[in-house]
């Protein structure tokens, strides 16, 4: 069997405050998701008219890492992503599932620096006030 020389992207270490650089601003697609790796986990990042959001990439209903590929929209006046697997909607600001309030994905604090680098903090159970998507 022939071995291939695949170069794997290495995860950048978090800085001393716990924020980890994950991508550049130009890597993000408006009104769509991008999958990144932060703190050893898969995260879905979204840029919408409402702001910048980051949630777990793994769909809790199917176990598949697909949420970044979901359809982004707005329901009940809030930004959501619809899972491409079973079509449940997750609020981007809280991670709650619209169809099943007992299910949620984690939200990740996200900051876009003046240098154009997106950084993610550790996942939280609630929205942080100092993140870019907070009002």
């Amino acid at each position: 069997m022939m071995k291939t020389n695949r170069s794997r992207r290495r995860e950048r270490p978090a800085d001393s405050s716990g924020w980890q650089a994950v991508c550049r601003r130009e890597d993000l697609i408006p009104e769509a998701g991008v999958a990144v790796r932060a703190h050893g986990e898969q995260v879905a990042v979204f840029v919408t008219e409402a702001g910048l959001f980051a949630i777990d990439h793994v769909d809790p209903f199917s176990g598949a890492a697909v949420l970044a590929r979901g359809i982004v929209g707005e329901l009940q006046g809030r930004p959501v992503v619809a899972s491409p697997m079973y079509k449940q909607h997750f609020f981007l600001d809280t991670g709650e599932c619209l169809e099943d309030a007992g299910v949620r994905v984690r939200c990740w604090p996200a900051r876009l620096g003046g240098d154009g680098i997106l950084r993610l903090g550790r996942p939280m159970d609630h929205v942080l006030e100092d993140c870019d998507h907070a009002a």
Side-chain angles (χ1 to χ4, degrees):
M1 179 175 262
M2 183 188 229
K3 288 186 179 180
T4 59
N5 185 10
R6 290 186 182 180
S7 63
R8 294 187 73 195
R9 248 184 157 174
R10 291 194 174 207
E11 194 173 308
R12 297 176 184 133
D15 64 19
S16 60
S17 64
W19 292 89
Q20 184 173 7
V22 294
C23 67
R24 298 179 311 270
R25 170 64 179 106
E26 57 266 18
D27 296 328
L28 302 173
I29 303 165
E31 304 303 324
V34 173
V36 300
R37 194 153 179 84
H39 303 286
E41 299 190 51
Q42 296 182 55
V43 181
V45 177
F46 303 89
V47 177
T48 72
E49 288 182 10
L52 176 65
F53 301 93
I55 62 173
D56 286 335
H57 183 44
V58 175
D59 176 345
F61 290 95
S62 68
V66 296
L67 290 181
R69 293 186 295 234
I71 297 172
V72 177
E74 187 177 294
L75 290 172
Q76 300 177 355
R78 295 167 58 195
V80 297
V81 62
S83 172
M85 295 301 289
Y86 301 122
K87 313 302 184 236
Q88 285 90 356
H89 297 87
F90 295 91
F91 289 113
L92 295 179
D93 57 350
T94 63
E96 288 177 275
C97 177
L98 178 64
E99 290 79 13
D100 185 344
V103 177
R104 69 183 316 137
V105 292
R106 294 175 301 171
C107 292
W108 294 69
R111 287 184 178 164
L112 189 57
D115 57 0
I117 301 295
L118 174 66
R119 291 175 175 82
L120 296 180
R122 297 272 179 191
M124 303 299 291
D125 291 329
H126 60 280
V127 178
L128 291 180
E129 292 179 14
D130 66 342
C131 295
D132 286 347
H133 66 268

PDB file of all heavy atoms in Angstrom, residues 57-71 75 81-90 97-100 103:
ATOM      1  N   HIS A  57     -20.737  22.339  15.614  1.00  0.00           N
ATOM      2  CA  HIS A  57     -20.934  21.905  14.226  1.00  0.00           C
ATOM      3  C   HIS A  57     -21.705  20.582  14.168  1.00  0.00           C
ATOM      4  O   HIS A  57     -22.324  20.259  13.167  1.00  0.00           O
ATOM      5  CB  HIS A  57     -19.560  21.776  13.556  1.00  0.00           C
ATOM      6  CG  HIS A  57     -19.576  21.397  12.117  1.00  0.00           C
ATOM      7  ND1 HIS A  57     -20.431  21.954  11.191  1.00  0.00           N
ATOM      8  CD2 HIS A  57     -18.819  20.507  11.431  1.00  0.00           C
ATOM      9  CE1 HIS A  57     -20.196  21.423   9.998  1.00  0.00           C
ATOM     10  NE2 HIS A  57     -19.228  20.541  10.121  1.00  0.00           N
ATOM     11  N   VAL A  58     -21.700  19.828  15.261  1.00  0.00           N
ATOM     12  CA  VAL A  58     -22.329  18.505  15.275  1.00  0.00           C
ATOM     13  C   VAL A  58     -23.820  18.629  15.592  1.00  0.00           C
ATOM     14  O   VAL A  58     -24.212  19.222  16.596  1.00  0.00           O
ATOM     15  CB  VAL A  58     -21.637  17.571  16.288  1.00  0.00           C
ATOM     16  CG1 VAL A  58     -22.354  16.236  16.387  1.00  0.00           C
ATOM     17  CG2 VAL A  58     -20.177  17.369  15.888  1.00  0.00           C
ATOM     18  N   ASP A  59     -24.640  18.070  14.719  1.00  0.00           N
ATOM     19  CA  ASP A  59     -26.092  18.034  14.895  1.00  0.00           C
ATOM     20  C   ASP A  59     -26.406  17.033  16.012  1.00  0.00           C
ATOM     21  O   ASP A  59     -26.074  15.856  15.892  1.00  0.00           O
ATOM     22  CB  ASP A  59     -26.736  17.594  13.579  1.00  0.00           C
ATOM     23  CG  ASP A  59     -28.242  17.433  13.655  1.00  0.00           C
ATOM     24  OD1 ASP A  59     -28.811  17.384  14.759  1.00  0.00           O
ATOM     25  OD2 ASP A  59     -28.857  17.336  12.586  1.00  0.00           O
ATOM     26  N   PRO A  60     -27.050  17.468  17.103  1.00  0.00           N
ATOM     27  CA  PRO A  60     -27.306  16.548  18.216  1.00  0.00           C
ATOM     28  C   PRO A  60     -28.326  15.451  17.884  1.00  0.00           C
ATOM     29  O   PRO A  60     -28.369  14.435  18.562  1.00  0.00           O
ATOM     30  CB  PRO A  60     -27.830  17.463  19.324  1.00  0.00           C
ATOM     31  CG  PRO A  60     -28.340  18.666  18.633  1.00  0.00           C
ATOM     32  CD  PRO A  60     -27.502  18.824  17.397  1.00  0.00           C
ATOM     33  N   PHE A  61     -29.116  15.622  16.847  1.00  0.00           N
ATOM     34  CA  PHE A  61     -30.112  14.611  16.495  1.00  0.00           C
ATOM     35  C   PHE A  61     -29.510  13.478  15.667  1.00  0.00           C
ATOM     36  O   PHE A  61     -29.885  12.327  15.825  1.00  0.00           O
ATOM     37  CB  PHE A  61     -31.289  15.251  15.736  1.00  0.00           C
ATOM     38  CG  PHE A  61     -32.123  16.128  16.615  1.00  0.00           C
ATOM     39  CD1 PHE A  61     -31.893  17.495  16.659  1.00  0.00           C
ATOM     40  CD2 PHE A  61     -33.128  15.598  17.410  1.00  0.00           C
ATOM     41  CE1 PHE A  61     -32.656  18.314  17.475  1.00  0.00           C
ATOM     42  CE2 PHE A  61     -33.897  16.416  18.233  1.00  0.00           C
ATOM     43  CZ  PHE A  61     -33.662  17.778  18.266  1.00  0.00           C
ATOM     44  N   SER A  62     -28.573  13.811  14.783  1.00  0.00           N
ATOM     45  CA  SER A  62     -27.992  12.783  13.912  1.00  0.00           C
ATOM     46  C   SER A  62     -26.577  12.383  14.320  1.00  0.00           C
ATOM     47  O   SER A  62     -26.100  11.328  13.934  1.00  0.00           O
ATOM     48  CB  SER A  62     -27.956  13.290  12.466  1.00  0.00           C
ATOM     49  OG  SER A  62     -27.027  14.362  12.345  1.00  0.00           O
ATOM     50  N   GLY A  63     -25.888  13.246  15.065  1.00  0.00           N
ATOM     51  CA  GLY A  63     -24.498  12.987  15.420  1.00  0.00           C
ATOM     52  C   GLY A  63     -23.524  13.323  14.303  1.00  0.00           C
ATOM     53  O   GLY A  63     -22.325  13.118  14.433  1.00  0.00           O
ATOM     54  N   ALA A  64     -24.037  13.867  13.201  1.00  0.00           N
ATOM     55  CA  ALA A  64     -23.186  14.212  12.057  1.00  0.00           C
ATOM     56  C   ALA A  64     -22.710  15.661  12.165  1.00  0.00           C
ATOM     57  O   ALA A  64     -23.442  16.543  12.630  1.00  0.00           O
ATOM     58  CB  ALA A  64     -23.963  14.020  10.757  1.00  0.00           C
ATOM     59  N   ALA A  65     -21.488  15.906  11.728  1.00  0.00           N
ATOM     60  CA  ALA A  65     -20.920  17.258  11.729  1.00  0.00           C
ATOM     61  C   ALA A  65     -21.374  17.975  10.457  1.00  0.00           C
ATOM     62  O   ALA A  65     -20.703  17.930   9.430  1.00  0.00           O
ATOM     63  CB  ALA A  65     -19.400  17.181  11.811  1.00  0.00           C
ATOM     64  N   VAL A  66     -22.549  18.620  10.534  1.00  0.00           N
ATOM     65  CA  VAL A  66     -23.173  19.194   9.336  1.00  0.00           C
ATOM     66  C   VAL A  66     -23.767  20.587   9.512  1.00  0.00           C
ATOM     67  O   VAL A  66     -24.225  21.169   8.527  1.00  0.00           O
ATOM     68  CB  VAL A  66     -24.302  18.270   8.806  1.00  0.00           C
ATOM     69  CG1 VAL A  66     -23.752  16.943   8.342  1.00  0.00           C
ATOM     70  CG2 VAL A  66     -25.387  18.082   9.852  1.00  0.00           C
ATOM     71  N   LEU A  67     -23.814  21.128  10.715  1.00  0.00           N
ATOM     72  CA  LEU A  67     -24.565  22.361  10.909  1.00  0.00           C
ATOM     73  C   LEU A  67     -24.025  23.539  10.099  1.00  0.00           C
ATOM     74  O   LEU A  67     -24.811  24.392   9.683  1.00  0.00           O
ATOM     75  CB  LEU A  67     -24.658  22.714  12.399  1.00  0.00           C
ATOM     76  CG  LEU A  67     -25.552  21.781  13.214  1.00  0.00           C
ATOM     77  CD1 LEU A  67     -25.613  22.225  14.669  1.00  0.00           C
ATOM     78  CD2 LEU A  67     -26.949  21.689  12.623  1.00  0.00           C
ATOM     79  N   ALA A  68     -22.736  23.601   9.825  1.00  0.00           N
ATOM     80  CA  ALA A  68     -22.198  24.691   9.006  1.00  0.00           C
ATOM     81  C   ALA A  68     -22.754  24.639   7.583  1.00  0.00           C
ATOM     82  O   ALA A  68     -22.758  25.650   6.889  1.00  0.00           O
ATOM     83  CB  ALA A  68     -20.672  24.650   8.975  1.00  0.00           C
ATOM     84  N   ARG A  69     -23.243  23.477   7.158  1.00  0.00           N
ATOM     85  CA  ARG A  69     -23.798  23.340   5.808  1.00  0.00           C
ATOM     86  C   ARG A  69     -25.309  23.560   5.771  1.00  0.00           C
ATOM     87  O   ARG A  69     -25.945  23.373   4.741  1.00  0.00           O
ATOM     88  CB  ARG A  69     -23.465  21.962   5.252  1.00  0.00           C
ATOM     89  CG  ARG A  69     -21.970  21.808   5.004  1.00  0.00           C
ATOM     90  CD  ARG A  69     -21.675  20.517   4.317  1.00  0.00           C
ATOM     91  NE  ARG A  69     -22.006  19.383   5.178  1.00  0.00           N
ATOM     92  CZ  ARG A  69     -21.189  18.414   5.488  1.00  0.00           C
ATOM     93  NH1 ARG A  69     -19.977  18.405   5.010  1.00  0.00           N
ATOM     94  NH2 ARG A  69     -21.565  17.435   6.266  1.00  0.00           N
ATOM     95  N   GLY A  70     -25.888  23.927   6.919  1.00  0.00           N
ATOM     96  CA  GLY A  70     -27.321  24.146   6.984  1.00  0.00           C
ATOM     97  C   GLY A  70     -27.746  25.444   6.322  1.00  0.00           C
ATOM     98  O   GLY A  70     -26.927  26.302   5.979  1.00  0.00           O
ATOM     99  N   ILE A  71     -29.051  25.590   6.162  1.00  0.00           N
ATOM    100  CA  ILE A  71     -29.613  26.805   5.565  1.00  0.00           C
ATOM    101  C   ILE A  71     -29.796  27.844   6.664  1.00  0.00           C
ATOM    102  O   ILE A  71     -30.421  27.587   7.687  1.00  0.00           O
ATOM    103  CB  ILE A  71     -30.951  26.502   4.878  1.00  0.00           C
ATOM    104  CG1 ILE A  71     -30.711  25.529   3.726  1.00  0.00           C
ATOM    105  CG2 ILE A  71     -31.611  27.786   4.388  1.00  0.00           C
ATOM    106  CD1 ILE A  71     -31.976  25.014   3.090  1.00  0.00           C
ATOM    107  N   LEU A  75     -36.214  33.073  11.978  1.00  0.00           N
ATOM    108  CA  LEU A  75     -37.517  32.628  12.463  1.00  0.00           C
ATOM    109  C   LEU A  75     -37.789  33.341  13.775  1.00  0.00           C
ATOM    110  O   LEU A  75     -36.874  33.501  14.593  1.00  0.00           O
ATOM    111  CB  LEU A  75     -37.550  31.113  12.679  1.00  0.00           C
ATOM    112  CG  LEU A  75     -37.511  30.241  11.422  1.00  0.00           C
ATOM    113  CD1 LEU A  75     -37.357  28.771  11.792  1.00  0.00           C
ATOM    114  CD2 LEU A  75     -38.779  30.441  10.601  1.00  0.00           C
ATOM    115  N   VAL A  81     -30.198  28.378  11.964  1.00  0.00           N
ATOM    116  CA  VAL A  81     -29.683  27.487  10.931  1.00  0.00           C
ATOM    117  C   VAL A  81     -30.542  26.231  10.975  1.00  0.00           C
ATOM    118  O   VAL A  81     -30.882  25.741  12.051  1.00  0.00           O
ATOM    119  CB  VAL A  81     -28.178  27.150  11.118  1.00  0.00           C
ATOM    120  CG1 VAL A  81     -27.910  26.420  12.423  1.00  0.00           C
ATOM    121  CG2 VAL A  81     -27.656  26.370   9.923  1.00  0.00           C
ATOM    122  N   ALA A  82     -30.918  25.745   9.795  1.00  0.00           N
ATOM    123  CA  ALA A  82     -31.679  24.499   9.694  1.00  0.00           C
ATOM    124  C   ALA A  82     -30.694  23.382   9.394  1.00  0.00           C
ATOM    125  O   ALA A  82     -29.927  23.455   8.428  1.00  0.00           O
ATOM    126  CB  ALA A  82     -32.721  24.592   8.583  1.00  0.00           C
ATOM    127  N   SER A  83     -30.702  22.355  10.221  1.00  0.00           N
ATOM    128  CA  SER A  83     -29.807  21.231  10.003  1.00  0.00           C
ATOM    129  C   SER A  83     -30.126  20.563   8.672  1.00  0.00           C
ATOM    130  O   SER A  83     -31.289  20.320   8.362  1.00  0.00           O
ATOM    131  CB  SER A  83     -29.948  20.208  11.127  1.00  0.00           C
ATOM    132  OG  SER A  83     -29.200  19.045  10.807  1.00  0.00           O
ATOM    133  N   PRO A  84     -29.104  20.236   7.884  1.00  0.00           N
ATOM    134  CA  PRO A  84     -29.366  19.545   6.617  1.00  0.00           C
ATOM    135  C   PRO A  84     -29.792  18.090   6.796  1.00  0.00           C
ATOM    136  O   PRO A  84     -30.261  17.467   5.849  1.00  0.00           O
ATOM    137  CB  PRO A  84     -28.039  19.639   5.871  1.00  0.00           C
ATOM    138  CG  PRO A  84     -27.015  19.888   6.903  1.00  0.00           C
ATOM    139  CD  PRO A  84     -27.693  20.574   8.042  1.00  0.00           C
ATOM    140  N   MET A  85     -29.695  17.552   8.005  1.00  0.00           N
ATOM    141  CA  MET A  85     -30.066  16.156   8.227  1.00  0.00           C
ATOM    142  C   MET A  85     -31.570  16.000   8.408  1.00  0.00           C
ATOM    143  O   MET A  85     -32.251  15.487   7.553  1.00  0.00           O
ATOM    144  CB  MET A  85     -29.314  15.581   9.429  1.00  0.00           C
ATOM    145  CG  MET A  85     -27.814  15.501   9.218  1.00  0.00           C
ATOM    146  SD  MET A  85     -27.321  14.496   7.814  1.00  0.00           S
ATOM    147  CE  MET A  85     -27.702  12.884   8.407  1.00  0.00           C
ATOM    148  N   TYR A  86     -32.082  16.433   9.546  1.00  0.00           N
ATOM    149  CA  TYR A  86     -33.500  16.236   9.851  1.00  0.00           C
ATOM    150  C   TYR A  86     -34.279  17.542   9.902  1.00  0.00           C
ATOM    151  O   TYR A  86     -35.417  17.570  10.324  1.00  0.00           O
ATOM    152  CB  TYR A  86     -33.655  15.463  11.168  1.00  0.00           C
ATOM    153  CG  TYR A  86     -32.981  14.116  11.128  1.00  0.00           C
ATOM    154  CD1 TYR A  86     -32.002  13.789  12.052  1.00  0.00           C
ATOM    155  CD2 TYR A  86     -33.306  13.170  10.160  1.00  0.00           C
ATOM    156  CE1 TYR A  86     -31.369  12.553  12.024  1.00  0.00           C
ATOM    157  CE2 TYR A  86     -32.674  11.943  10.123  1.00  0.00           C
ATOM    158  CZ  TYR A  86     -31.715  11.639  11.056  1.00  0.00           C
ATOM    159  OH  TYR A  86     -31.087  10.422  11.025  1.00  0.00           O
ATOM    160  N   LYS A  87     -33.628  18.636   9.515  1.00  0.00           N
ATOM    161  CA  LYS A  87     -34.246  19.959   9.338  1.00  0.00           C
ATOM    162  C   LYS A  87     -34.646  20.690  10.609  1.00  0.00           C
ATOM    163  O   LYS A  87     -35.401  21.652  10.545  1.00  0.00           O
ATOM    164  CB  LYS A  87     -35.467  19.882   8.399  1.00  0.00           C
ATOM    165  CG  LYS A  87     -35.245  19.092   7.128  1.00  0.00           C
ATOM    166  CD  LYS A  87     -34.093  19.635   6.307  1.00  0.00           C
ATOM    167  CE  LYS A  87     -33.949  18.878   4.990  1.00  0.00           C
ATOM    168  NZ  LYS A  87     -32.658  18.300   4.782  1.00  0.00           N
ATOM    169  N   GLN A  88     -34.158  20.282  11.773  1.00  0.00           N
ATOM    170  CA  GLN A  88     -34.427  21.061  12.980  1.00  0.00           C
ATOM    171  C   GLN A  88     -33.714  22.409  12.853  1.00  0.00           C
ATOM    172  O   GLN A  88     -32.644  22.508  12.257  1.00  0.00           O
ATOM    173  CB  GLN A  88     -33.929  20.352  14.247  1.00  0.00           C
ATOM    174  CG  GLN A  88     -34.776  19.206  14.685  1.00  0.00           C
ATOM    175  CD  GLN A  88     -34.329  17.899  14.069  1.00  0.00           C
ATOM    176  OE1 GLN A  88     -33.435  17.839  13.250  1.00  0.00           O
ATOM    177  NE2 GLN A  88     -34.973  16.808  14.474  1.00  0.00           N
ATOM    178  N   HIS A  89     -34.315  23.419  13.456  1.00  0.00           N
ATOM    179  CA  HIS A  89     -33.758  24.772  13.443  1.00  0.00           C
ATOM    180  C   HIS A  89     -33.093  25.065  14.786  1.00  0.00           C
ATOM    181  O   HIS A  89     -33.686  24.800  15.835  1.00  0.00           O
ATOM    182  CB  HIS A  89     -34.862  25.798  13.194  1.00  0.00           C
ATOM    183  CG  HIS A  89     -35.526  25.648  11.880  1.00  0.00           C
ATOM    184  ND1 HIS A  89     -36.611  24.808  11.682  1.00  0.00           N
ATOM    185  CD2 HIS A  89     -35.245  26.204  10.681  1.00  0.00           C
ATOM    186  CE1 HIS A  89     -36.975  24.871  10.419  1.00  0.00           C
ATOM    187  NE2 HIS A  89     -36.171  25.703   9.782  1.00  0.00           N
ATOM    188  N   PHE A  90     -31.911  25.643  14.731  1.00  0.00           N
ATOM    189  CA  PHE A  90     -31.188  26.032  15.935  1.00  0.00           C
ATOM    190  C   PHE A  90     -30.993  27.543  15.908  1.00  0.00           C
ATOM    191  O   PHE A  90     -30.514  28.094  14.915  1.00  0.00           O
ATOM    192  CB  PHE A  90     -29.829  25.329  16.013  1.00  0.00           C
ATOM    193  CG  PHE A  90     -29.955  23.842  16.153  1.00  0.00           C
ATOM    194  CD1 PHE A  90     -29.978  23.023  15.042  1.00  0.00           C
ATOM    195  CD2 PHE A  90     -30.096  23.259  17.411  1.00  0.00           C
ATOM    196  CE1 PHE A  90     -30.119  21.647  15.153  1.00  0.00           C
ATOM    197  CE2 PHE A  90     -30.240  21.885  17.534  1.00  0.00           C
ATOM    198  CZ  PHE A  90     -30.258  21.077  16.405  1.00  0.00           C
ATOM    199  N   CYS A  97     -32.910  24.512  20.124  1.00  0.00           N
ATOM    200  CA  CYS A  97     -33.630  23.930  18.994  1.00  0.00           C
ATOM    201  C   CYS A  97     -35.063  24.449  19.023  1.00  0.00           C
ATOM    202  O   CYS A  97     -35.746  24.339  20.052  1.00  0.00           O
ATOM    203  CB  CYS A  97     -33.615  22.408  19.083  1.00  0.00           C
ATOM    204  SG  CYS A  97     -34.550  21.608  17.769  1.00  0.00           S
ATOM    205  N   LEU A  98     -35.515  25.014  17.920  1.00  0.00           N
ATOM    206  CA  LEU A  98     -36.870  25.560  17.841  1.00  0.00           C
ATOM    207  C   LEU A  98     -37.923  24.468  18.020  1.00  0.00           C
ATOM    208  O   LEU A  98     -38.923  24.657  18.703  1.00  0.00           O
ATOM    209  CB  LEU A  98     -37.074  26.273  16.502  1.00  0.00           C
ATOM    210  CG  LEU A  98     -38.450  26.863  16.239  1.00  0.00           C
ATOM    211  CD1 LEU A  98     -38.754  27.976  17.232  1.00  0.00           C
ATOM    212  CD2 LEU A  98     -38.542  27.378  14.819  1.00  0.00           C
ATOM    213  N   GLU A  99     -37.695  23.304  17.441  1.00  0.00           N
ATOM    214  CA  GLU A  99     -38.681  22.227  17.473  1.00  0.00           C
ATOM    215  C   GLU A  99     -38.669  21.426  18.774  1.00  0.00           C
ATOM    216  O   GLU A  99     -39.641  20.754  19.094  1.00  0.00           O
ATOM    217  CB  GLU A  99     -38.463  21.268  16.291  1.00  0.00           C
ATOM    218  CG  GLU A  99     -38.811  21.852  14.938  1.00  0.00           C
ATOM    219  CD  GLU A  99     -37.738  22.768  14.367  1.00  0.00           C
ATOM    220  OE1 GLU A  99     -36.598  22.788  14.885  1.00  0.00           O
ATOM    221  OE2 GLU A  99     -38.043  23.476  13.403  1.00  0.00           O
ATOM    222  N   ASP A 100     -37.570  21.470  19.516  1.00  0.00           N
ATOM    223  CA  ASP A 100     -37.456  20.705  20.763  1.00  0.00           C
ATOM    224  C   ASP A 100     -36.632  21.525  21.755  1.00  0.00           C
ATOM    225  O   ASP A 100     -35.396  21.475  21.741  1.00  0.00           O
ATOM    226  CB  ASP A 100     -36.792  19.354  20.493  1.00  0.00           C
ATOM    227  CG  ASP A 100     -36.734  18.452  21.713  1.00  0.00           C
ATOM    228  OD1 ASP A 100     -36.919  18.941  22.850  1.00  0.00           O
ATOM    229  OD2 ASP A 100     -36.490  17.248  21.533  1.00  0.00           O
ATOM    230  N   VAL A 103     -33.425  20.446  23.634  1.00  0.00           N
ATOM    231  CA  VAL A 103     -32.181  20.135  22.922  1.00  0.00           C
ATOM    232  C   VAL A 103     -31.524  21.440  22.508  1.00  0.00           C
ATOM    233  O   VAL A 103     -32.189  22.368  22.053  1.00  0.00           O
ATOM    234  CB  VAL A 103     -32.457  19.263  21.675  1.00  0.00           C
ATOM    235  CG1 VAL A 103     -31.176  19.003  20.895  1.00  0.00           C
ATOM    236  CG2 VAL A 103     -33.112  17.955  22.089  1.00  0.00           C
TER     237      VAL A 103
END
